[in-house]
Amino acid sequence: MEEKLYKGQWSKEKAWAWHNSHAWVRGCNYLPGNCTCQFELWQEPMFEERMACMEKEMALAESIGFNSVRIAMNFETWYADPVAYKKKVDRVLSILDKHHITAMFKFGNDCTVPKDQYEAPDITKPVETAWGYHGGVIRSPHRAGLDEGYLPIDEEDMAPKYYEWVRDIISTYKDDERVIVWNMWNEPGNTKRFNKSEKHLRKFFEIAREINPIQPLTADSWLMTFNKDVENPLSNLRDIEFLAMELSDIVSFHHYGTFEHVVSTVKALKDKYGRPLYNTEWLHRIYDNNVEQIFPLFYLENIGSYQYGLVESRAQYYEPWESLRGSNLPIDRWQHDIFRANLRPYSHKEIEIIKEFCSLADKDFENKNK
């Protein structure tokens, strides 16, 4: 049966050819250790301090074999000064490239807070860090029982500005090999937004496909982590998550569950889509989602791997999600991150496993291309 594609979407054959032209992609979701929130990376104040921190941390990432990072873009700092913003992007990419690391850049994000708790970021000053909270802020989208999340793109007059942001960035870097993937939307449907972002998700893909970049496009499914039916791991996904995967050139997903649950999810996604898989968020020790099992699995299955967090930081990704507090789970363990603030490993065993499988992957790729 002929494959049904959206206008401009890569065929499965093209996606696999692209995927196989790269060594195994592995790395982390990244924010410099001296940032609390993701938009702080792109601020003018303290930008040089952020870059100095990034330089040290990317050298560390390179030393263990990582070759890619997933980084959140920011609309507000772009909107304030698009030219200055892109100079910052150039600077980030130059540091990454120095350490043989590519960037997966992320645009939309449904992981947010209700409108009555939303505050537009002040791009002129750093965020005050709330210590002891995952993400470094008290208003966390990971708290249980939140109302529908809010995004400024929900406002009719703001949506075209967000579309121009996506168009400007992808047009500028559409042929830049330092960018490996465009991550069009993070966790569509999260924070009770359900299908609210659908028209924007579709529009982001439409804009990118008009530009026709050399990089593939993807958007992340995520709800399978919380599906208790291991035999049917996709059965709780919402329509917008299936849409995200159907629109994608490579299929990306998040999974913070057990090894057995990840295995069943991988099989289900392979059977359903037949495209290269990229896990763009994993590592949740509290949920027994650990380096010892998951990292080798993704190597063996040739699944792109971006675990969450790198170095203990002001963002405090090692702290548990707020929804876990008061639970019976062992929150004495770190949730994310693999290095302490002094750049020493949280677990030497974890780092040795990462190094071992990164080395194996590079040897595999070298042998394949002899």
Side-chain angles (χ1 to χ4, degrees):
M1 181 180 294
E2 185 178 353
E3 183 183 13
K4 292 183 179 180
L5 299 173
Y6 289 88
K7 184 178 179 180
Q9 184 178 13
W10 288 8
S11 66
K12 291 179 184 178
E13 291 76 16
K14 182 175 180 178
W16 278 110
W18 174 88
H19 179 70
N20 291 330
S21 70
H22 296 81
W24 179 44
V25 176
R26 68 276 179 172
C28 62
N29 288 259
Y30 179 68
L31 183 67
N34 54 2
C35 294
T36 298
C37 294
Q38 294 177 340
F39 82 88
E40 283 190 298
L41 168 61
W42 307 108
Q43 289 178 301
E44 188 61 40
M46 293 187 69
F47 184 68
E48 289 306 317
E49 290 91 332
R50 311 293 192 214
M51 293 302 95
C53 181
M54 187 177 198
E55 179 74 58
K56 291 188 298 183
E57 292 175 350
M58 288 302 96
L60 182 64
E62 181 186 22
S63 74
I64 64 171
F66 280 178
N67 61 14
S68 195
V69 290
R70 180 174 180 248
I71 294 178
M73 304 300 269
N74 178 251
F75 168 78
E76 287 82 4
T77 44
W78 170 86
Y79 187 62
D81 190 336
V83 173
Y85 182 87
K86 285 184 286 186
K87 287 181 179 178
K88 293 183 177 71
V89 175
D90 288 338
R91 182 72 180 284
V92 166
L93 287 173
S94 68
I95 292 174
L96 295 181
D97 192 52
K98 175 181 176 181
H99 296 288
H100 308 101
I101 291 172
T102 59
M104 175 188 284
F105 282 136
K106 176 180 71 177
F107 290 106
N109 184 12
D110 269 8
C111 196
T112 183
V113 295
K115 190 169 186 178
D116 63 358
Q117 296 184 28
Y118 178 84
E119 291 181 11
D122 184 342
I123 66 172
T124 66
K125 62 182 182 181
V127 171
E128 183 176 348
T129 304
W131 292 100
Y133 292 88
H134 182 100
V137 291
I138 296 175
R139 297 185 313 279
S140 170
H142 298 294
R143 284 169 46 204
L146 287 176
D147 294 328
E148 179 187 284
Y150 170 77
L151 295 173
I153 199 174
D154 295 340
E155 308 298 334
E156 188 174 347
D157 63 328
M158 291 299 295
K161 299 171 184 176
Y162 275 80
Y163 300 158
E164 183 54 34
W165 167 53
V166 172
R167 188 182 306 279
D168 185 27
I169 297 301
I170 297 182
S171 295
T172 302
Y173 299 99
K174 68 184 182 67
D175 298 314
D176 196 324
E177 293 184 351
R178 298 173 299 176
V179 180
I180 194 166
V181 176
W182 297 110
N183 195 179
M184 307 308 295
W185 209 281
N186 178 71
E187 299 194 349
N190 203 344
T191 56
K192 298 183 181 177
R193 286 183 62 81
F194 303 116
N195 293 332
K196 190 162 188 177
S197 295
E198 179 180 339
K199 65 179 180 180
H200 307 306
L201 172 69
R202 290 181 182 273
K203 186 65 174 179
F204 277 21
F205 272 92
E206 179 184 316
I207 290 168
R209 293 223 157 93
E210 288 172 358
I211 298 165
N212 191 28
I214 64 170
Q215 306 91 349
L217 314 180
T218 195
D220 315 300
S221 60
W222 62 279
L223 198 54
M224 56 272 283
T225 289
F226 306 100
N227 190 345
K228 296 180 180 179
D229 186 354
V230 177
E231 298 301 317
N232 299 286
L234 309 184
S235 61
N236 68 329
L237 268 59
R238 297 166 180 154
D239 290 345
I240 194 169
E241 293 181 73
F242 286 115
L243 173 64
M245 291 188 284
E246 289 166 6
L247 286 166
S248 296
D249 299 319
I250 59 172
V251 171
S252 60
F253 67 106
H254 297 171
H255 210 307
Y256 292 112
T258 64
F259 175 78
E260 292 76 16
H261 203 169
V262 175
V263 167
S264 68
T265 300
V266 166
K267 183 180 185 307
L269 291 172
K270 281 187 172 184
D271 290 347
K272 185 172 181 63
Y273 295 103
R275 288 177 175 269
L277 298 181
Y278 280 64
N279 183 296
T280 48
E281 288 189 23
W282 67 276
L283 184 56
H284 195 313
R285 298 178 185 89
I286 298 166
Y287 283 170
D288 290 328
N289 180 269
N290 54 58
V291 169
E292 292 88 342
Q293 293 178 304
I294 306 301
F295 198 73
L297 171 67
F298 289 160
Y299 160 75
L300 291 169
E301 295 285 349
N302 195 18
I303 295 171
S305 169
Y306 292 84
Q307 48 117 115
Y308 211 97
L310 181 67
V311 177
E312 176 186 2
S313 68
R314 283 175 51 203
Q316 302 163 80
Y317 293 135
Y318 54 86
E319 291 280 1
W321 293 329
E322 290 309 296
S323 58
L324 298 182
R325 295 193 182 278
S327 71
N328 294 321
L329 293 171
I331 63 172
D332 55 321
R333 290 182 281 176
W334 277 17
Q335 181 167 306
H336 305 321
D337 294 328
I338 56 174
F339 286 102
R340 301 180 188 277
N342 60 10
L343 306 187
R344 294 175 180 170
Y346 171 72
S347 162
H348 287 279
K349 181 181 178 182
E350 287 181 352
I351 301 305
E352 289 307 310
I353 289 170
I354 290 170
K355 286 181 175 180
E356 176 185 357
F357 285 94
C358 288
S359 177
L360 285 172
D362 288 339
K363 289 176 182 176
D364 293 343
F365 191 68
E366 182 181 340
N367 290 335
K368 185 176 74 171
N369 289 280
K370 280 184 177 179

